[in-house]
Amino acid sequence: MNGHCNDTVEECHCNNGFSDLIIDTKKSAVHRKHETSRKEAEDKSRLPAIEAAYTSILRELGEDTDRQGLLRTPLRAAKAMQFLTKGYHETVDDILNNAIFDEDHDEMVIVKDIDVFSLCEHHLVPFFGKVHIGYIPNKKVVGLSKLARIVEIFSRRLQVQERLTKQIALGISEALQPKGVAVVIEAAHMCMVMRGVQKMNSRTVTSTMLGVYLEDPKTREEFLTLSQHA
Amino acid sequence: MRRRTAGTADPVLFNGHLTGRFDSGPCVRRSAEAPATGTVRRSDPQPPGAEVDPHRPAASSVMESWREERTRSVEDNEMSLPAIAAAYTTILRGLGEDPQRQGLLKTPWRAATAMQFFTKGYQETIIDVLNDAIFDEDHDEMVIVKDIDMFSMCEHHLVPIFGRVHIGYLPNKRVLGLSKLARIVEIYSRRLQVQERLTKQIAVAITEALQPTGVGVVIEATHMCMVMRGVQKMNSKTVTSTMLGVFREDPKTRDEFLRLIRS
């Protein structure tokens, strides 16, 4: 999934002239730090190939790539695509930035209505919506914006909404070891709205409950009430 | 492409097509709310039917400009699909993904088909879509079709634009089947577009098909290129409008139209 395996370290190599790319979230931040900057440099080196691909797409669609509005579109589209998949470069360890604090707090913490934007991995078309995250700290709380940053890491990839929800929950779980984590995502999928069945108002809701949220229905209910209404 | 030399303005290239003669100056503008009077606009020329080659009857000249549309056929789509799919495979690799993993195995084909769907406006012509649904009706009051959902692709970033179109026109004894207004929106929106041009093309198409007393088109849309990337302003909307004929000249008519689409 996204080149990751849930339990074991797995490396994924891309062929065809590109240097080997290792996508792996299990490695430590220290090891990954130099890899992150290397990939940012690689982004620039990969740009021409993606640009050429977009030029070919535009031509095959019947457009005139020399008209003024489309002249630099392949470059812009390639950069946009790289931005929309920048989550591959980042790991949870990197962005947490040591913003974990010892706090004698064991009540629920909820950050809700986090705007999320991702790309459907089946059609390469956006899906977007809101994420609600709740966790019960086990003496360790995390900086609130870090929850939103964790969402960003996993959403800026080619995704499936179910996997995105789970990755966010697992990311928080591993970083904090809280008593429980709950993540709910409600999103609109353009692949359903703009094409295919074309249902304008449909929304997809997925959730992942870990720890005490899974075991205790009252806790889960409190989270769902607070994130939906208040 | 052939250039038209008759007419009051030079032919203008839109979406790679020649679309006939009309004012090439800007007559749409961005605004945060409904457009108000006061901006100086160049006057529109007469509908093309008035100045066509005298050997052709006026009625068919209405559709003449559309015959120059470069139409894609279903066969073209089938033939170009492998090339587009191959391009998407390259893109996936370039982004660092593994095109062989289960979720991505058929993605290049799906993405290619999806992209062809999002640009299917190039496959259709106005003549086909209107389907002779123009009726003589002794009606000269405003007709409005509003809240037409619109989905387009930003031609600069290849990222979706979506929003709503509101169309109003004052018939001149000829009315159009209502769904045909929505179909005209579909033809022009399912292309690589710029919102200003889209608004204008819809207005001009209705003008050329019906020769009404006036046409007004307002589009309110969200641009994913602004929301998902770049400035990342979640709630921003872009509003463009085109007012032709009496909608442009008479502020009261325009006002009535704008008020009715708000409610």
Side-chain angles (χ1 to χ4, degrees), chain A residues 14 16 21 23 46 60-63 67 69 73 76 83 88 117 121-122 156 158 194 200, chain B residues 70 72 80 92-94 96-97 101 103 107 110 117 122 151 155-156 190 227-228 232 234:
Chain A
C14 291
N16 279 32
L21 180 71
I23 307 174
R46 292 217 168 100
E60 297 291 337
L61 289 175
E63 262 288 3
R67 70 176 172 89
T73 291
R76 284 184 292 240
F83 178 86
Y88 289 126
F117 300 94
E121 72 177 14
H122 300 139
R156 300 289 185 182
L158 303 183
M194 281 180 78
M200 311 291 155
Chain B
R70 185 171 7 111
R72 208 168 73 183
S80 55
L92 288 178
R93 289 218 182 85
E97 262 287 5
R101 69 172 171 91
T107 291
R110 284 186 290 242
F117 181 87
Y122 294 133
F151 301 95
E155 74 177 14
H156 300 138
R190 297 289 187 181
V227 170
M228 282 182 80
Q232 299 192 57
M234 310 293 155

mmCIF file of all heavy atoms in Angstrom, chain A residues 14 16 21 23 46 60-63 67 69 73 76 83 88 117 121-122 156 158 194 200, chain B residues 70 72 80 92-94 96-97 101 103 107 110 117 122 151 155-156 190 227-228 232 234:
data_model
loop_
_atom_site.group_PDB
_atom_site.id
_atom_site.type_symbol
_atom_site.label_atom_id
_atom_site.label_comp_id
_atom_site.label_asym_id
_atom_site.label_seq_id
_atom_site.Cartn_x
_atom_site.Cartn_y
_atom_site.Cartn_z
ATOM 1 N N CYS A 14 11.677 1.439 -8.271
ATOM 2 C CA CYS A 14 11.101 1.785 -9.563
ATOM 3 C C CYS A 14 12.157 1.624 -10.631
ATOM 4 O O CYS A 14 13.304 2.035 -10.456
ATOM 5 C CB CYS A 14 10.618 3.238 -9.543
ATOM 6 S SG CYS A 14 9.190 3.429 -8.482
ATOM 7 N N ASN A 16 13.084 1.437 -15.075
ATOM 8 C CA ASN A 16 12.950 2.300 -16.253
ATOM 9 C C ASN A 16 13.698 3.605 -16.141
ATOM 10 O O ASN A 16 13.155 4.653 -16.401
ATOM 11 C CB ASN A 16 11.466 2.600 -16.528
ATOM 12 C CG ASN A 16 10.830 1.464 -17.266
ATOM 13 O OD1 ASN A 16 11.221 0.320 -17.076
ATOM 14 N ND2 ASN A 16 9.870 1.765 -18.098
ATOM 15 N N LEU A 21 13.912 4.174 -5.786
ATOM 16 C CA LEU A 21 13.168 4.983 -4.835
ATOM 17 C C LEU A 21 12.695 4.072 -3.726
ATOM 18 O O LEU A 21 12.109 3.042 -3.973
ATOM 19 C CB LEU A 21 11.965 5.623 -5.514
ATOM 20 C CG LEU A 21 11.122 6.490 -4.588
ATOM 21 C CD1 LEU A 21 11.862 7.752 -4.257
ATOM 22 C CD2 LEU A 21 9.813 6.816 -5.234
ATOM 23 N N ILE A 23 10.354 3.782 -0.591
ATOM 24 C CA ILE A 23 9.271 4.408 0.141
ATOM 25 C C ILE A 23 9.000 3.549 1.356
ATOM 26 O O ILE A 23 8.580 2.410 1.254
ATOM 27 C CB ILE A 23 7.986 4.469 -0.697
ATOM 28 C CG1 ILE A 23 8.273 5.115 -2.035
ATOM 29 C CG2 ILE A 23 6.924 5.235 0.048
ATOM 30 C CD1 ILE A 23 7.078 5.063 -2.956
ATOM 31 N N ARG A 46 13.118 14.624 -12.056
ATOM 32 C CA ARG A 46 12.054 13.814 -12.676
ATOM 33 C C ARG A 46 11.087 14.667 -13.478
ATOM 34 O O ARG A 46 10.299 14.145 -14.253
ATOM 35 C CB ARG A 46 11.266 13.106 -11.573
ATOM 36 C CG ARG A 46 12.066 12.067 -10.868
ATOM 37 C CD ARG A 46 11.171 10.894 -10.533
ATOM 38 N NE ARG A 46 11.993 9.791 -10.108
ATOM 39 C CZ ARG A 46 12.181 9.464 -8.862
ATOM 40 N NH1 ARG A 46 11.622 10.161 -7.919
ATOM 41 N NH2 ARG A 46 12.944 8.443 -8.555
ATOM 42 N N GLU A 60 -2.814 13.870 -27.405
ATOM 43 C CA GLU A 60 -3.700 12.739 -27.682
ATOM 44 C C GLU A 60 -5.149 13.070 -27.395
ATOM 45 O O GLU A 60 -6.062 12.460 -27.954
ATOM 46 C CB GLU A 60 -3.273 11.524 -26.855
ATOM 47 C CG GLU A 60 -1.896 10.996 -27.185
ATOM 48 C CD GLU A 60 -1.852 10.354 -28.559
ATOM 49 O OE1 GLU A 60 -2.906 9.926 -29.053
ATOM 50 O OE2 GLU A 60 -0.750 10.295 -29.137
ATOM 51 N N LEU A 61 -5.390 14.032 -26.504
ATOM 52 C CA LEU A 61 -6.777 14.419 -26.220
ATOM 53 C C LEU A 61 -7.333 15.306 -27.318
ATOM 54 O O LEU A 61 -8.510 15.643 -27.312
ATOM 55 C CB LEU A 61 -6.858 15.161 -24.882
ATOM 56 C CG LEU A 61 -6.635 14.317 -23.642
ATOM 57 C CD1 LEU A 61 -6.620 15.215 -22.411
ATOM 58 C CD2 LEU A 61 -7.747 13.299 -23.489
ATOM 59 N N GLY A 62 -6.464 15.705 -28.252
ATOM 60 C CA GLY A 62 -6.949 16.494 -29.372
ATOM 61 C C GLY A 62 -6.740 17.983 -29.197
ATOM 62 O O GLY A 62 -7.248 18.782 -29.969
ATOM 63 N N GLU A 63 -6.005 18.364 -28.173
ATOM 64 C CA GLU A 63 -5.775 19.786 -27.945
ATOM 65 C C GLU A 63 -4.556 20.260 -28.736
ATOM 66 O O GLU A 63 -3.736 19.471 -29.185
ATOM 67 C CB GLU A 63 -5.535 20.057 -26.447
ATOM 68 C CG GLU A 63 -6.754 20.547 -25.713
ATOM 69 C CD GLU A 63 -7.123 21.987 -26.076
ATOM 70 O OE1 GLU A 63 -6.470 22.590 -26.948
ATOM 71 O OE2 GLU A 63 -8.071 22.500 -25.478
ATOM 72 N N ARG A 67 -1.082 26.483 -28.322
ATOM 73 C CA ARG A 67 -1.880 27.688 -28.083
ATOM 74 C C ARG A 67 -1.493 28.292 -26.744
ATOM 75 O O ARG A 67 -1.008 27.625 -25.848
ATOM 76 C CB ARG A 67 -3.385 27.390 -28.149
ATOM 77 C CG ARG A 67 -3.963 26.585 -27.031
ATOM 78 C CD ARG A 67 -5.472 26.502 -27.257
ATOM 79 N NE ARG A 67 -6.115 25.594 -26.351
ATOM 80 C CZ ARG A 67 -6.593 25.935 -25.151
ATOM 81 N NH1 ARG A 67 -6.483 27.171 -24.733
ATOM 82 N NH2 ARG A 67 -7.185 25.034 -24.388
ATOM 83 N N GLY A 69 -2.766 29.351 -23.992
ATOM 84 C CA GLY A 69 -3.172 28.881 -22.671
ATOM 85 C C GLY A 69 -2.511 27.589 -22.264
ATOM 86 O O GLY A 69 -2.395 27.286 -21.084
ATOM 87 N N THR A 73 1.465 24.537 -19.714
ATOM 88 C CA THR A 73 0.627 23.632 -18.916
ATOM 89 C C THR A 73 1.320 22.339 -18.528
ATOM 90 O O THR A 73 1.197 21.901 -17.380
ATOM 91 C CB THR A 73 -0.704 23.359 -19.636
ATOM 92 O OG1 THR A 73 -1.469 24.560 -19.629
ATOM 93 C CG2 THR A 73 -1.495 22.274 -18.954
ATOM 94 N N ARG A 76 3.331 23.117 -15.480
ATOM 95 C CA ARG A 76 2.502 23.429 -14.317
ATOM 96 C C ARG A 76 1.810 22.183 -13.794
ATOM 97 O O ARG A 76 1.730 21.948 -12.590
ATOM 98 C CB ARG A 76 1.450 24.485 -14.674
ATOM 99 C CG ARG A 76 1.988 25.895 -14.776
ATOM 100 C CD ARG A 76 0.865 26.869 -15.027
ATOM 101 N NE ARG A 76 0.286 26.694 -16.348
ATOM 102 C CZ ARG A 76 0.255 27.624 -17.290
ATOM 103 N NH1 ARG A 76 0.771 28.801 -17.061
ATOM 104 N NH2 ARG A 76 -0.290 27.380 -18.463
ATOM 105 N N PHE A 83 3.349 18.302 -6.218
ATOM 106 C CA PHE A 83 2.870 18.863 -4.955
ATOM 107 C C PHE A 83 1.795 17.980 -4.347
ATOM 108 O O PHE A 83 1.791 17.711 -3.141
ATOM 109 C CB PHE A 83 2.322 20.269 -5.176
ATOM 110 C CG PHE A 83 1.769 20.901 -3.935
ATOM 111 C CD1 PHE A 83 2.594 21.583 -3.067
ATOM 112 C CD2 PHE A 83 0.424 20.778 -3.609
ATOM 113 C CE1 PHE A 83 2.086 22.154 -1.906
ATOM 114 C CE2 PHE A 83 -0.093 21.348 -2.452
ATOM 115 C CZ PHE A 83 0.752 22.037 -1.597
ATOM 116 N N TYR A 88 4.832 11.532 -0.093
ATOM 117 C CA TYR A 88 5.779 10.420 -0.173
ATOM 118 C C TYR A 88 7.125 10.777 0.405
ATOM 119 O O TYR A 88 7.917 9.904 0.751
ATOM 120 C CB TYR A 88 5.961 9.980 -1.627
ATOM 121 C CG TYR A 88 4.758 9.279 -2.197
ATOM 122 C CD1 TYR A 88 4.179 9.727 -3.374
ATOM 123 C CD2 TYR A 88 4.205 8.169 -1.576
ATOM 124 C CE1 TYR A 88 3.078 9.090 -3.901
ATOM 125 C CE2 TYR A 88 3.104 7.527 -2.105
ATOM 126 C CZ TYR A 88 2.539 7.995 -3.273
ATOM 127 O OH TYR A 88 1.453 7.371 -3.795
ATOM 128 N N PHE A 117 -7.270 16.887 1.367
ATOM 129 C CA PHE A 117 -7.306 16.789 -0.090
ATOM 130 C C PHE A 117 -6.380 15.662 -0.506
ATOM 131 O O PHE A 117 -5.222 15.651 -0.128
ATOM 132 C CB PHE A 117 -6.836 18.087 -0.745
ATOM 133 C CG PHE A 117 -7.675 19.261 -0.362
ATOM 134 C CD1 PHE A 117 -7.304 20.062 0.697
ATOM 135 C CD2 PHE A 117 -8.846 19.543 -1.038
ATOM 136 C CE1 PHE A 117 -8.084 21.133 1.074
ATOM 137 C CE2 PHE A 117 -9.637 20.613 -0.672
ATOM 138 C CZ PHE A 117 -9.255 21.411 0.392
ATOM 139 N N GLU A 121 -6.360 6.905 -6.214
ATOM 140 C CA GLU A 121 -5.277 6.209 -6.918
ATOM 141 C C GLU A 121 -5.792 5.440 -8.122
ATOM 142 O O GLU A 121 -5.014 4.930 -8.921
ATOM 143 C CB GLU A 121 -4.539 5.254 -5.983
ATOM 144 C CG GLU A 121 -5.316 4.013 -5.616
ATOM 145 C CD GLU A 121 -4.491 3.064 -4.747
ATOM 146 O OE1 GLU A 121 -3.448 3.488 -4.233
ATOM 147 O OE2 GLU A 121 -4.909 1.904 -4.611
ATOM 148 N N HIS A 122 -7.101 5.355 -8.261
ATOM 149 C CA HIS A 122 -7.641 4.607 -9.386
ATOM 150 C C HIS A 122 -7.856 5.474 -10.612
ATOM 151 O O HIS A 122 -7.752 5.004 -11.734
ATOM 152 C CB HIS A 122 -8.960 3.945 -8.986
ATOM 153 C CG HIS A 122 -8.795 3.003 -7.844
ATOM 154 N ND1 HIS A 122 -9.696 2.913 -6.813
ATOM 155 C CD2 HIS A 122 -7.831 2.107 -7.555
ATOM 156 C CE1 HIS A 122 -9.286 1.992 -5.947
ATOM 157 N NE2 HIS A 122 -8.155 1.501 -6.378
ATOM 158 N N ARG A 156 -1.431 13.581 0.998
ATOM 159 C CA ARG A 156 -0.807 14.037 -0.251
ATOM 160 C C ARG A 156 -0.109 12.864 -0.925
ATOM 161 O O ARG A 156 1.107 12.828 -1.087
ATOM 162 C CB ARG A 156 0.192 15.171 0.026
ATOM 163 C CG ARG A 156 -0.433 16.400 0.663
ATOM 164 C CD ARG A 156 -1.308 17.141 -0.307
ATOM 165 N NE ARG A 156 -1.823 18.396 0.252
ATOM 166 C CZ ARG A 156 -2.649 19.213 -0.377
ATOM 167 N NH1 ARG A 156 -3.092 18.923 -1.583
ATOM 168 N NH2 ARG A 156 -3.049 20.322 0.204
ATOM 169 N N LEU A 158 -1.202 9.124 -3.636
ATOM 170 C CA LEU A 158 -2.269 8.419 -4.350
ATOM 171 C C LEU A 158 -2.916 7.479 -3.349
ATOM 172 O O LEU A 158 -2.262 6.584 -2.831
ATOM 173 C CB LEU A 158 -1.681 7.632 -5.534
ATOM 174 C CG LEU A 158 -0.896 8.483 -6.527
ATOM 175 C CD1 LEU A 158 -0.432 7.628 -7.699
ATOM 176 C CD2 LEU A 158 -1.743 9.631 -7.036
ATOM 177 N N MET A 194 -17.763 13.801 -10.891
ATOM 178 C CA MET A 194 -17.510 14.393 -12.209
ATOM 179 C C MET A 194 -17.671 13.392 -13.335
ATOM 180 O O MET A 194 -17.802 13.771 -14.486
ATOM 181 C CB MET A 194 -16.062 14.902 -12.290
ATOM 182 C CG MET A 194 -15.810 16.212 -11.627
ATOM 183 S SD MET A 194 -14.103 16.703 -11.778
ATOM 184 C CE MET A 194 -14.037 17.296 -13.447
ATOM 185 N N MET A 200 -23.847 13.960 -7.518
ATOM 186 C CA MET A 200 -23.235 15.198 -7.042
ATOM 187 C C MET A 200 -23.060 15.245 -5.547
ATOM 188 O O MET A 200 -22.127 15.827 -5.034
ATOM 189 C CB MET A 200 -24.109 16.403 -7.438
ATOM 190 C CG MET A 200 -24.526 16.435 -8.863
ATOM 191 S SD MET A 200 -23.106 16.739 -9.909
ATOM 192 C CE MET A 200 -23.654 15.990 -11.435
ATOM 193 N N ARG B 70 -13.043 21.440 -34.159
ATOM 194 C CA ARG B 70 -12.287 20.228 -34.414
ATOM 195 C C ARG B 70 -12.887 19.145 -33.560
ATOM 196 O O ARG B 70 -12.672 19.091 -32.367
ATOM 197 C CB ARG B 70 -10.814 20.464 -34.053
ATOM 198 C CG ARG B 70 -9.938 19.324 -34.384
ATOM 199 C CD ARG B 70 -8.465 19.633 -34.230
ATOM 200 N NE ARG B 70 -8.153 20.905 -33.656
ATOM 201 C CZ ARG B 70 -7.610 21.064 -32.452
ATOM 202 N NH1 ARG B 70 -7.359 20.014 -31.717
ATOM 203 N NH2 ARG B 70 -7.310 22.265 -32.011
ATOM 204 N N ARG B 72 -13.489 15.477 -32.088
ATOM 205 C CA ARG B 72 -12.846 14.201 -31.847
ATOM 206 C C ARG B 72 -13.916 13.146 -32.020
ATOM 207 O O ARG B 72 -15.064 13.382 -31.701
ATOM 208 C CB ARG B 72 -12.356 14.242 -30.393
ATOM 209 C CG ARG B 72 -11.186 13.440 -30.058
ATOM 210 C CD ARG B 72 -10.714 13.863 -28.667
ATOM 211 N NE ARG B 72 -11.614 13.387 -27.633
ATOM 212 C CZ ARG B 72 -11.449 13.679 -26.344
ATOM 213 N NH1 ARG B 72 -10.480 14.457 -25.967
ATOM 214 N NH2 ARG B 72 -12.292 13.222 -25.446
ATOM 215 N N SER B 80 -6.225 6.738 -29.322
ATOM 216 C CA SER B 80 -5.245 7.462 -28.521
ATOM 217 C C SER B 80 -5.150 6.926 -27.099
ATOM 218 O O SER B 80 -4.244 7.294 -26.361
ATOM 219 C CB SER B 80 -5.574 8.955 -28.514
ATOM 220 O OG SER B 80 -6.889 9.149 -28.081
ATOM 221 N N LEU B 92 3.225 8.115 -13.174
ATOM 222 C CA LEU B 92 3.222 7.396 -11.901
ATOM 223 C C LEU B 92 4.643 7.070 -11.468
ATOM 224 O O LEU B 92 5.013 7.225 -10.303
ATOM 225 C CB LEU B 92 2.399 6.107 -12.012
ATOM 226 C CG LEU B 92 0.893 6.288 -12.106
ATOM 227 C CD1 LEU B 92 0.209 4.935 -12.269
ATOM 228 C CD2 LEU B 92 0.357 6.986 -10.871
ATOM 229 N N ARG B 93 5.447 6.619 -12.427
ATOM 230 C CA ARG B 93 6.832 6.296 -12.071
ATOM 231 C C ARG B 93 7.577 7.555 -11.659
ATOM 232 O O ARG B 93 8.345 7.556 -10.710
ATOM 233 C CB ARG B 93 7.550 5.659 -13.263
ATOM 234 C CG ARG B 93 7.072 4.294 -13.554
ATOM 235 C CD ARG B 93 8.209 3.368 -13.985
ATOM 236 N NE ARG B 93 7.630 2.070 -14.282
ATOM 237 C CZ ARG B 93 7.105 1.762 -15.467
ATOM 238 N NH1 ARG B 93 7.153 2.629 -16.458
ATOM 239 N NH2 ARG B 93 6.552 0.581 -15.650
ATOM 240 N N GLY B 94 7.348 8.616 -12.412
ATOM 241 C CA GLY B 94 8.035 9.865 -12.118
ATOM 242 C C GLY B 94 7.703 10.400 -10.738
ATOM 243 O O GLY B 94 8.509 11.083 -10.108
ATOM 244 N N GLY B 96 7.294 8.536 -8.227
ATOM 245 C CA GLY B 96 7.896 7.676 -7.231
ATOM 246 C C GLY B 96 7.013 6.518 -6.802
ATOM 247 O O GLY B 96 7.329 5.810 -5.860
ATOM 248 N N GLU B 97 5.898 6.344 -7.491
ATOM 249 C CA GLU B 97 5.020 5.233 -7.145
ATOM 250 C C GLU B 97 5.407 3.970 -7.910
ATOM 251 O O GLU B 97 6.162 4.029 -8.877
ATOM 252 C CB GLU B 97 3.564 5.599 -7.471
ATOM 253 C CG GLU B 97 2.778 6.093 -6.296
ATOM 254 C CD GLU B 97 2.398 4.990 -5.305
ATOM 255 O OE1 GLU B 97 2.832 3.845 -5.479
ATOM 256 O OE2 GLU B 97 1.666 5.291 -4.354
ATOM 257 N N ARG B 101 1.915 -2.168 -8.318
ATOM 258 C CA ARG B 101 1.190 -2.616 -7.131
ATOM 259 C C ARG B 101 -0.295 -2.689 -7.443
ATOM 260 O O ARG B 101 -0.789 -2.043 -8.345
ATOM 261 C CB ARG B 101 1.474 -1.724 -5.921
ATOM 262 C CG ARG B 101 0.916 -0.328 -5.963
ATOM 263 C CD ARG B 101 1.142 0.315 -4.582
ATOM 264 N NE ARG B 101 0.841 1.722 -4.582
ATOM 265 C CZ ARG B 101 -0.366 2.231 -4.295
ATOM 266 N NH1 ARG B 101 -1.375 1.428 -4.023
ATOM 267 N NH2 ARG B 101 -0.554 3.539 -4.288
ATOM 268 N N GLY B 103 -3.188 -1.672 -6.412
ATOM 269 C CA GLY B 103 -4.101 -0.532 -6.565
ATOM 270 C C GLY B 103 -3.841 0.270 -7.823
ATOM 271 O O GLY B 103 -4.729 0.954 -8.324
ATOM 272 N N THR B 107 -4.605 1.682 -13.228
ATOM 273 C CA THR B 107 -4.824 3.121 -13.098
ATOM 274 C C THR B 107 -4.524 3.895 -14.371
ATOM 275 O O THR B 107 -5.289 4.800 -14.729
ATOM 276 C CB THR B 107 -4.030 3.665 -11.902
ATOM 277 O OG1 THR B 107 -4.616 3.160 -10.710
ATOM 278 C CG2 THR B 107 -4.040 5.174 -11.860
ATOM 279 N N ARG B 110 -7.588 3.653 -16.469
ATOM 280 C CA ARG B 110 -8.727 4.355 -15.873
ATOM 281 C C ARG B 110 -8.533 5.861 -15.955
ATOM 282 O O ARG B 110 -9.468 6.604 -16.282
ATOM 283 C CB ARG B 110 -8.900 3.933 -14.407
ATOM 284 C CG ARG B 110 -9.517 2.567 -14.212
ATOM 285 C CD ARG B 110 -9.791 2.309 -12.746
ATOM 286 N NE ARG B 110 -8.558 2.139 -12.004
ATOM 287 C CZ ARG B 110 -8.224 1.039 -11.361
ATOM 288 N NH1 ARG B 110 -9.005 -0.012 -11.388
ATOM 289 N NH2 ARG B 110 -7.086 0.970 -10.692
ATOM 290 N N PHE B 117 -13.059 11.455 -20.785
ATOM 291 C CA PHE B 117 -14.411 11.855 -20.403
ATOM 292 C C PHE B 117 -14.440 13.334 -20.022
ATOM 293 O O PHE B 117 -15.351 14.070 -20.396
ATOM 294 C CB PHE B 117 -14.910 10.998 -19.235
ATOM 295 C CG PHE B 117 -16.303 11.332 -18.809
ATOM 296 C CD1 PHE B 117 -17.396 10.742 -19.420
ATOM 297 C CD2 PHE B 117 -16.531 12.256 -17.793
ATOM 298 C CE1 PHE B 117 -18.693 11.064 -19.036
ATOM 299 C CE2 PHE B 117 -17.817 12.574 -17.398
ATOM 300 C CZ PHE B 117 -18.905 11.978 -18.021
ATOM 301 N N TYR B 122 -14.935 18.071 -26.625
ATOM 302 C CA TYR B 122 -14.337 18.170 -27.954
ATOM 303 C C TYR B 122 -14.991 17.205 -28.935
ATOM 304 O O TYR B 122 -14.722 17.275 -30.128
ATOM 305 C CB TYR B 122 -12.842 17.849 -27.892
ATOM 306 C CG TYR B 122 -12.041 18.850 -27.099
ATOM 307 C CD1 TYR B 122 -11.123 18.433 -26.148
ATOM 308 C CD2 TYR B 122 -12.191 20.219 -27.298
ATOM 309 C CE1 TYR B 122 -10.379 19.334 -25.415
ATOM 310 C CE2 TYR B 122 -11.451 21.126 -26.574
ATOM 311 C CZ TYR B 122 -10.546 20.687 -25.637
ATOM 312 O OH TYR B 122 -9.817 21.583 -24.920
ATOM 313 N N PHE B 151 -18.791 20.983 -14.311
ATOM 314 C CA PHE B 151 -17.472 20.438 -13.987
ATOM 315 C C PHE B 151 -16.564 20.652 -15.172
ATOM 316 O O PHE B 151 -16.895 20.273 -16.294
ATOM 317 C CB PHE B 151 -17.559 18.948 -13.668
ATOM 318 C CG PHE B 151 -18.471 18.659 -12.518
ATOM 319 C CD1 PHE B 151 -19.795 18.324 -12.736
ATOM 320 C CD2 PHE B 151 -18.019 18.752 -11.219
ATOM 321 C CE1 PHE B 151 -20.652 18.082 -11.675
ATOM 322 C CE2 PHE B 151 -18.864 18.513 -10.157
ATOM 323 C CZ PHE B 151 -20.182 18.184 -10.382
ATOM 324 N N GLU B 155 -7.169 24.628 -17.569
ATOM 325 C CA GLU B 155 -6.236 24.294 -18.638
ATOM 326 C C GLU B 155 -4.795 24.576 -18.244
ATOM 327 O O GLU B 155 -3.871 24.219 -18.966
ATOM 328 C CB GLU B 155 -6.572 25.064 -19.915
ATOM 329 C CG GLU B 155 -6.218 26.529 -19.874
ATOM 330 C CD GLU B 155 -6.504 27.234 -21.202
ATOM 331 O OE1 GLU B 155 -7.214 26.652 -22.035
ATOM 332 O OE2 GLU B 155 -6.015 28.340 -21.391
ATOM 333 N N HIS B 156 -4.612 25.212 -17.109
ATOM 334 C CA HIS B 156 -3.261 25.553 -16.691
ATOM 335 C C HIS B 156 -2.643 24.486 -15.814
ATOM 336 O O HIS B 156 -1.428 24.291 -15.818
ATOM 337 C CB HIS B 156 -3.261 26.893 -15.951
ATOM 338 C CG HIS B 156 -3.753 28.014 -16.791
ATOM 339 N ND1 HIS B 156 -4.606 28.984 -16.333
ATOM 340 C CD2 HIS B 156 -3.541 28.320 -18.088
ATOM 341 C CE1 HIS B 156 -4.874 29.841 -17.300
ATOM 342 N NE2 HIS B 156 -4.241 29.459 -18.369
ATOM 343 N N ARG B 190 -16.827 20.531 -20.511
ATOM 344 C CA ARG B 190 -16.018 19.313 -20.555
ATOM 345 C C ARG B 190 -14.858 19.513 -21.512
ATOM 346 O O ARG B 190 -14.723 18.832 -22.532
ATOM 347 C CB ARG B 190 -16.865 18.106 -20.976
ATOM 348 C CG ARG B 190 -17.977 17.773 -20.020
ATOM 349 C CD ARG B 190 -17.477 17.202 -18.725
ATOM 350 N NE ARG B 190 -18.571 16.737 -17.870
ATOM 351 C CZ ARG B 190 -18.419 16.216 -16.668
ATOM 352 N NH1 ARG B 190 -17.221 16.074 -16.173
ATOM 353 N NH2 ARG B 190 -19.472 15.834 -15.968
ATOM 354 N N VAL B 227 -7.419 25.635 -4.375
ATOM 355 C CA VAL B 227 -7.831 25.061 -3.093
ATOM 356 C C VAL B 227 -6.862 23.976 -2.637
ATOM 357 O O VAL B 227 -6.467 23.923 -1.483
ATOM 358 C CB VAL B 227 -9.258 24.492 -3.213
ATOM 359 C CG1 VAL B 227 -9.631 23.679 -1.998
ATOM 360 C CG2 VAL B 227 -10.242 25.621 -3.414
ATOM 361 N N MET B 228 -6.466 23.124 -3.573
ATOM 362 C CA MET B 228 -5.633 21.979 -3.222
ATOM 363 C C MET B 228 -4.151 22.296 -3.243
ATOM 364 O O MET B 228 -3.347 21.554 -2.691
ATOM 365 C CB MET B 228 -5.824 20.846 -4.242
ATOM 366 C CG MET B 228 -7.064 20.054 -4.068
ATOM 367 S SD MET B 228 -7.174 18.741 -5.259
ATOM 368 C CE MET B 228 -6.116 17.498 -4.560
ATOM 369 N N GLN B 232 -3.950 27.769 -1.634
ATOM 370 C CA GLN B 232 -4.702 26.920 -0.705
ATOM 371 C C GLN B 232 -5.737 27.695 0.094
ATOM 372 O O GLN B 232 -5.739 27.699 1.323
ATOM 373 C CB GLN B 232 -3.751 26.158 0.225
ATOM 374 C CG GLN B 232 -2.821 25.245 -0.570
ATOM 375 C CD GLN B 232 -2.072 24.274 0.300
ATOM 376 O OE1 GLN B 232 -2.668 23.497 1.033
ATOM 377 N NE2 GLN B 232 -0.763 24.303 0.219
ATOM 378 N N MET B 234 -9.411 27.616 0.944
ATOM 379 C CA MET B 234 -10.450 26.599 0.841
ATOM 380 C C MET B 234 -11.771 27.128 0.359
ATOM 381 O O MET B 234 -12.526 26.440 -0.304
ATOM 382 C CB MET B 234 -10.703 25.966 2.218
ATOM 383 C CG MET B 234 -9.476 25.511 2.936
ATOM 384 S SD MET B 234 -8.710 24.146 2.080
ATOM 385 C CE MET B 234 -7.024 24.317 2.623
#
